[in-house]
Amino acid sequence: MKLITAFALSAPVSAMLRFSCSTLVTDRIDPLVNPGEAPSPHLHQLVGGNALNTTMDPSNELPDISTCTSCQFTEDFSNYWTAVLFFRARNGTFKRVPTFANEYLEPANGGITVYYIAPYDGKTKVKAFQKGFRMIVGDPIRRTDMQDHDARGLSFRCWGENFTNSVGAPGTNQDTRYFPKQPCKGGIRANHFFPTCWDGKNLDSPDHKSHVAYPKNGSFESGGPCPESHPIKIPQILYEVAWDTRQFNDPNEWPEDGSQPFVFSTGDHTGYGTHGDYVFGWKGDALQRAMDQNCQVNCPTLKMQSTQSANKCTVEKKVEENIDGWLTELPGGMPITYL
Ligand SMILES: *[C@@H]1O[C@H](CO)[C@@H](O)[C@H](O)[C@H]1NC(C)=O
Ligand SMILES: *[C@@H]1O[C@H](CO)[C@@H](O)[C@H](O)[C@H]1NC(C)=O
Ligand SMILES: *[C@@H]1O[C@H](CO)[C@@H](O)[C@H](O)[C@H]1NC(C)=O
Ligand SMILES: *[C@@H]1O[C@H](CO)[C@@H](O)[C@H](O)[C@H]1NC(C)=O
């Protein structure tokens, strides 16, 4: 497979898995924040193993109760999800923005590009997540730049045609923490870096965040140390979502006041409320092996399927509602809030 990593890597090479997970379902469920609720308040796009459910008990053996995964690595039955992007036309109606295959990846049924990254020194060991582990990055109700770690991990890339302007790691280049203000000829990539330090005890926490933390100083990539409270280095997870905004680039359809027209399913018109949810579900020690063997894209220790095969793994929607076509309101009637 032709692949140049999106990162400028210099030797020594350390682990960086990068793979595609096709859309499993786009549904108004939120197994972490609103377990058991169908509908949950806002719409998500969810990818990964097909044991996805409105409630995901931490004791579930996801590799045993899944029969397929929409991710390219077939031992990965984790679930990954984000909010959904909508275009708001001048007449006030909404149209769902599709996702498309990311740069260098085989054509997939949209979805999320997932990374598991180790520090770039090639020496620092990371401990793979345990069964039942879950976490969230970002906050759907944010509407301002909080200047904290979460905020620094969340950004948008305004792509030129055919992925021009793809140089530099997410969060660098001209990436913004808010939605690009101008039409992006090649679509918009949303980037979500998760925390990289774990308390070593709790698989989850009430806010789904406080059991994990960011490095005390320096960056994860450069080997920055974890705080004493969260001493265990875990792989850095990154979600990239390639939003195909190309059909919505006509300035005549953008708001007359010059503002940008995109809004998340959370009612977020700023982009600051972008967020990602993670439920670990790799089989056995597959993820640990891949990290220990400094796996990149081709990882002999892992089994891989084509995206055509991954596309076939889908689950039924729990909530029957129209999410396509021109909608008079966001799913669930979610109001647009600027705060
Ligand atoms: C989802 O959960 C419901 C209720 O607990 C259960 O009946 C159903 O079998 C589950 N579905 C899957 C795919 O695990
Ligand atoms: C609203 O605007 C969109 C985009 O221009 C158009 O396709 C749609 O038909 C319009 N809907 C109504 C009800 O006018
Ligand atoms: C993008 O790709 C298309 C199809 O290969 C090509 O016609 C077009 O010139 C390319 N545009 C740029 C800016 O490279
Ligand atoms: C973090 O701080 C320690 C001690 O203050 C220092 O030795 C180390 O170089 C710093 N690491 C980074 C990556 O900045």
Side-chain angles (χ1 to χ4, degrees):
M1 193 197 308
K2 182 188 82 167
L3 195 130
I4 308 163
T5 61
F7 291 71
L9 280 182
S10 53
V13 173
S14 50
M16 191 184 81
L17 295 179
R18 178 184 192 260
F19 55 98
S20 158
C21 296
S22 309
T23 305
L24 200 53
V25 69
T26 302
D27 200 357
R28 206 140 59 81
I29 61 169
D30 194 340
L32 283 193
V33 177
N34 305 98
E37 287 181 30
S40 64
H42 59 258
L43 189 68
H44 287 118
Q45 62 149 348
L46 306 102
V47 307
N50 70 342
L52 175 77
N53 213 331
T54 51
T55 301
M56 307 271 305
D57 194 284
S59 67
N60 285 353
E61 293 282 359
L62 295 179
D64 293 346
I65 61 174
S66 306
T67 55
C68 66
T69 172
S70 74
C71 296
Q72 283 181 288
F73 289 115
T74 54
E75 290 150 292
D76 183 11
F77 300 98
S78 307
N79 288 111
Y80 311 88
W81 63 95
T82 71
V84 173
L85 194 64
F86 283 86
F87 170 77
R88 185 167 179 249
R90 280 193 182 177
N91 61 21
T93 62
F94 300 90
K95 185 95 198 274
R96 185 157 73 90
V97 177
T99 48
F100 68 135
N102 206 340
E103 195 178 18
Y104 307 120
L105 291 175
E106 293 173 36
N109 178 16
I112 300 178
T113 305
V114 176
Y115 294 69
Y116 288 85
I117 305 166
Y120 294 167
D121 61 12
K123 301 192 299 274
T124 307
K125 291 291 172 210
V126 288
K127 186 168 169 52
F129 310 96
Q130 316 286 299
K131 187 187 93 170
F133 183 90
R134 53 270 314 272
M135 63 178 166
I136 291 181
V137 67
D139 182 349
I141 66 169
R142 275 197 183 181
R143 299 292 179 267
T144 54
D145 189 353
M146 304 288 277
Q147 298 287 334
D148 61 4
H149 278 290
D150 251 16
R152 271 173 260 150
L154 306 168
S155 60
F156 299 92
R157 170 82 39 108
C158 184
W159 267 324
E161 202 177 334
N162 304 345
F163 300 112
T164 50
N165 189 27
S166 72
V167 176
T172 64
N173 204 318
Q174 281 94 49
D175 286 5
T176 53
R177 295 193 202 159
Y178 46 84
F179 285 132
K181 295 184 189 304
Q182 72 281 22
C184 301
K185 271 194 168 174
I188 296 172
R189 188 184 69 198
N191 315 303
H192 311 84
F193 285 100
F194 283 76
T196 52
C197 300
W198 178 43
D199 70 9
K201 294 191 282 283
N202 297 295
L203 299 170
D204 197 3
S205 46
D207 61 359
H208 311 291
K209 288 183 175 186
S210 32
H211 59 311
V212 287
Y214 291 88
K216 194 167 65 167
N217 64 319
S219 66
F220 169 78
E221 292 87 337
S222 67
C226 283
E228 287 76 12
S229 56
H230 297 76
I232 311 290
K233 287 193 183 186
I234 48 180
Q236 184 182 52
I237 295 184
L238 163 62
Y239 296 178
E240 290 179 345
V241 185
W243 294 107
D244 189 359
T245 56
R246 291 175 295 183
Q247 62 180 294
F248 305 110
N249 280 344
D250 180 356
N252 296 317
E253 292 186 0
W254 279 42
E256 289 172 58
D257 68 2
S259 61
Q260 70 82 38
F262 297 103
V263 57
F264 275 128
S265 49
T266 53
D268 176 18
H269 217 316
T270 65
Y272 291 121
T274 191
H275 62 288
D277 294 53
Y278 175 61
V279 171
F280 170 80
W282 283 76
K283 187 172 185 176
D285 66 349
L287 178 62
Q288 187 70 62
R289 290 198 320 271
M291 292 289 112
D292 290 347
Q293 295 177 25
N294 287 341
C295 271
Q296 302 277 309
V297 175
N298 292 316
C299 183
T301 192
L302 296 180
K303 299 186 192 82
M304 209 173 188
Q305 65 181 341
S306 66
T307 50
Q308 288 86 340
S309 172
N311 287 345
K312 292 188 190 129
C313 188
T314 59
V315 301
E316 301 236 313
K317 267 168 70 176
K318 306 266 188 221
V319 179
E320 275 316 317
E321 63 184 351
N322 181 18
I323 55 168
D324 294 307
W326 290 96
L327 308 177
T328 54
E329 57 177 15
L330 290 172
M334 191 54 77
I336 296 179
T337 50
Y338 298 83
L339 290 188

